[in-house]
Every structure is written in C-alpha cells, then in structure tokens.
Amino acid sequence: MQSSILFCGGAKLNKSIQSNIMEMLFLLMVIPGKVNFTQMGRYGKRGEQCYRQTTERSVDWLEMNMRLSAYAFKKGTRRNAIAIDPSFIKKSGKCSPYMGSFWSGCAGAVKRGFEILGIGVVDVDLHECMMLKAVQTTLDKDKENDDMSLYDWYAKISDAQKRASVDCITLKK
C-alpha cells in the first residue's frame, strides 16, 4: 500500500515521518511477542530513539483512518453506517487511571479493568467494518458527570464524533 493513500489530506507530515510511521506499522505486524521501542530498534532500520520521537508527534489518526476507509470501501455502493462497540480490557492493580468495573461479554460478568469505545465505519454491501477511533471510557465522578450513566457517556462521545463520522461517510473517493 502506498503511503500517499494514508497521508493525503488532513495528515500533514513530512516524508521522513511518513516513512517512520509506515515502518512502525510494518514492525507491529511482524515482530513476535511483546513490541516496544527496543524491539523496533532491533528489528527495524532506525534506532530506538527515532521510533520514540515519531510517536511523540501529533497525528490526526481519525482523518488518516477516514481516508483509508474511503480507499478500502471504494468498491462498495457507498451505503455506510457508523458503529460503536464498547470493549473490555482486563487490568489488575489499583493505581491505573480510569480503571473501574465494566461488563465483560466474554466472561458474562462485571470485571475490573478498562473499557474502550470503538468507533468504526461499516460498508453494508461489502460486509466489512473499519475502525476509525478508540476512546477510553473516563467516567470521573464530578459535577458534570455525577448522574451520567454509561449509555449517556456513549451518547456524549457519539455526538462529539458525529461531525467527523459524517465527513467520513460523505468523503469523496
């Protein structure tokens, strides 16, 4: 896949950063076991510090994923829908921020850990979904969120992402 597909439009990055991100995505797929910057430095063409500095840069991943989905779904008839999917991530310990009790569908019970809300675009005709963004559930008990349930939080996040999602659906191919 060409990097021009991923980096056109909203993601304004120079060529070296583009090639670093492409190499990092490749390394994430091929490195066996745990992947960290030390492993990337060992298996990749660049040093560990180069990968660290690349990840510190600000990249509009939503824009990049929207363009990638427009490219991937160009064979469809443009009947797309936005889907959300809350997912549980098991985590032990007590000091991690935003850890709480969430429903685990696999366990069929409430478990302690994290929850992320996946937002994706679904092509109805191709029967495929592409992830656009993941947002961690952060239900802090303060004045604003005191009476907010998880469903209210999902609606709030969906509303905040509505404009970007509509742009994705109507993105010209």
Side-chain angles (χ1 to χ4, degrees), residues 1-170:
M1 178 183 308
Q2 296 178 350
S3 63
S4 61
I5 294 167
L6 293 176
F7 298 106
C8 64
K12 306 279 191 237
L13 302 172
N14 63 32
K15 288 278 189 191
S16 65
I17 300 299
Q18 288 181 21
S19 63
N20 287 357
I21 291 175
M22 291 298 291
E23 183 176 345
M24 288 173 71
L25 292 173
F26 175 75
L27 289 171
L28 282 171
M29 292 186 286
V30 299
I31 294 177
K34 183 177 180 181
V35 179
N36 54 32
F37 296 121
T38 305
Q39 293 289 78
M40 287 184 177
R42 184 174 298 142
Y43 287 97
K45 297 176 186 174
R46 297 168 173 82
E48 172 186 347
Q49 191 64 31
C50 181
Y51 297 118
R52 286 184 192 277
Q53 291 171 350
T54 301
T55 59
E56 291 173 2
R57 288 202 165 245
S58 177
V59 176
D60 188 0
W61 292 104
L62 180 63
E63 174 72 22
M64 194 179 304
N65 288 338
M66 288 187 321
R67 297 211 175 260
L68 185 60
S69 68
Y71 177 78
F73 293 157
K74 68 183 179 183
K75 294 180 182 171
T77 58
R78 299 187 47 86
R79 292 189 326 152
N80 297 336
I82 298 299
I84 63 170
D85 180 29
S87 299
F88 174 76
I89 300 171
K90 182 178 157 183
K91 175 76 169 96
S92 60
K94 296 181 181 177
C95 297
S96 299
Y98 308 119
M99 183 149 54
S101 297
F102 298 102
W103 178 259
S104 171
C106 292
V110 175
K111 296 281 187 178
R112 187 147 175 80
F114 297 119
E115 184 183 64
I116 60 168
L117 181 67
I119 303 170
V121 62
V122 178
D123 189 303
V124 177
D125 298 316
L126 297 176
H127 303 287
E128 292 183 8
C129 179
M130 182 167 251
M131 185 72 140
L132 295 177
K133 188 173 184 173
V135 181
Q136 184 177 355
T137 303
T138 57
L139 276 180
D140 282 339
K141 294 298 179 189
D142 56 9
K143 290 181 182 178
E144 184 180 322
N145 296 333
D146 194 29
D147 295 328
M148 186 178 286
S149 70
L150 274 177
Y151 294 116
D152 295 334
W153 191 84
Y154 297 153
K156 179 181 173 183
I157 294 299
S158 297
D159 190 48
Q161 298 298 322
K162 181 172 27 177
R163 182 170 179 259
S165 299
V166 168
D167 289 347
C168 175
I169 292 174
T170 59

